[in-house]
Amino acid sequence: MALALAILIWAIVLASVALFTGEFGWFPPQISEHGEAMDAQFNLTLIVVAIGFILAQVALGYYVWRYRDRSGARAVYTHGNAKVEVATVLITAVTFVTLAIIGQRVWIGLHLEDMPEDAVQVEVTAQQFAWNFRYPGPDGKFGKTATRLINDQLNPVGVDSRDPASSDDVVTLNRMAVPVNRDIRLTLRSKDVTHSFFVPALRFKQDTTPGLAVPGHFKALKTGEYEIACAELCGLQHYKMKGFLMVMSDQEFEAWLKERAEF
Ligand SMILES: [Cu+2]
């Protein structure tokens, strides 16, 4: 019986490893400047965790078998082994702190890196259950907004039309266009609850929090249409909160924006 249980544990380990190495239901191909570094960091973490997981589960199966029920065997009381415990905690701590420090570089590139002057600005405002995108227009300045002006149908982010800077602002719903190979500077906001702006192809995911303007940064290297998902359970229709990122050439982007400005 003990051997059967041990073999079952090892079989589950093998199946889990096969699921990961086979990359079933894996990420879509990445298209961003930071995507490669993100994937490298992700894979490194996965490999380190996998080694720990396999070692622990193989040992678990071994102990299940080694200390199986045998006639005449008596249980022994033990206080444990302080040295082994301290060593395990230290190894785990050092491993994860090191991984976190390595990951900081990638994270800084996505959030805090200085951007060139000509970066394209987009303000993302999440709400239950949609994405609003605002572009500053030719003046490069976002106009003022006010909560009291918010109207879900007519003025979803509450743009104040009395502010001259807001007259050329463009607001779109669930579709965000960006030019390819250009730095995109994001400002992420939420109107109601916590959402999470997730573009799997960019390997970009950031919570949007009411009351905060969270900066973000990416550069898409390939044209096409990609999924934007909400990665935070935000209410009953969370599953419907889907948008599209359209990466296009500079000319196509200018034309797209102009078309929306006239509308
Ligand atoms: Cu959401």
Side-chain angles (χ1 to χ4, degrees):
M1 191 61 206
L3 189 61
L5 184 55
I7 289 172
L8 178 66
I9 291 171
W10 294 331
I12 292 172
V13 175
L14 261 182
S16 323
V17 172
L19 271 178
F20 276 94
T21 48
E23 303 197 346
F24 298 110
W26 210 246
F27 301 119
Q30 72 85 13
I31 58 146
S32 103
E33 187 188 21
H34 291 100
E36 221 167 287
M38 285 290 275
D39 282 358
Q41 178 72 21
F42 183 87
N43 287 334
L44 177 66
T45 308
L46 194 62
I47 289 166
V48 170
V49 171
I51 292 170
F53 172 72
I54 293 167
L55 288 179
Q57 299 306 310
V58 167
L60 177 64
Y62 169 73
Y63 286 120
V64 163
W65 170 79
R66 172 83 175 71
Y67 295 104
R68 65 192 179 279
D69 184 23
R70 275 181 294 192
S71 59
R74 291 197 58 194
V76 185
Y77 184 75
T78 169
H79 279 289
N81 184 324
K83 274 186 199 150
V84 172
E85 280 169 30
V86 169
T88 326
V89 170
L90 275 181
I91 291 170
T92 312
V94 169
T95 307
F96 283 100
V97 169
T98 310
L99 281 175
I101 291 171
I102 300 172
Q104 287 299 307
R105 280 202 359 252
V106 185
W107 192 88
I108 286 169
L110 283 170
H111 291 273
L112 302 175
E113 204 171 68
D114 281 338
M115 257 162 291
E117 285 286 297
D118 69 342
V120 175
Q121 301 183 71
V122 188
E123 182 195 67
V124 180
T125 306
Q127 72 175 82
Q128 287 172 322
F129 298 92
W131 298 101
N132 301 288
F133 303 105
R134 181 157 69 123
Y135 297 81
D139 67 352
K141 269 191 222 139
F142 287 114
K144 281 190 192 126
T145 56
T147 320
R148 67 189 153 76
L149 297 173
I150 289 178
N151 175 313
D152 274 344
Q153 265 75 46
L154 302 170
N155 192 358
V157 294
V159 176
D160 187 345
S161 54
R162 285 173 311 175
D163 180 11
S166 72
S167 61
D168 60 350
D169 286 10
V170 172
V171 179
T172 67
L173 181 70
N174 290 333
R175 294 186 89 78
M176 170 184 181
V178 295
V180 70
N181 292 323
R182 289 272 299 275
D183 287 279
I184 313 296
R185 183 202 314 240
L186 295 176
T187 308
L188 296 148
R189 301 171 184 276
S190 169
K191 261 161 78 171
D192 36 43
V193 299
T194 305
H195 301 270
S196 185
F197 181 76
F198 182 32
V199 187
L202 291 176
R203 305 295 190 265
F204 186 93
K205 184 195 274 177
Q206 171 63 51
D207 274 9
T208 67
T209 310
L212 288 185
V214 182
H217 166 221
F218 71 85
K219 188 194 271 187
L221 306 179
K222 222 177 138 210
T223 55
E225 193 169 291
Y226 307 95
E227 182 190 4
I228 299 171
C230 178
E232 186 69 64
L233 187 55
C234 57
L236 279 179
Q237 293 179 62
H238 161 68
Y239 69 98
K240 274 189 176 173
M241 194 166 162
K242 189 171 171 171
F244 291 96
L245 170 73
M246 296 169 297
V247 182
M248 39 183 82
S249 69
D250 262 320
Q251 298 90 315
E252 280 173 320
F253 172 71
E254 293 305 331
W256 180 88
L257 207 56
K258 223 175 134 204
E259 206 178 291
R260 261 126 209 106
E262 281 157 8
F263 175 65

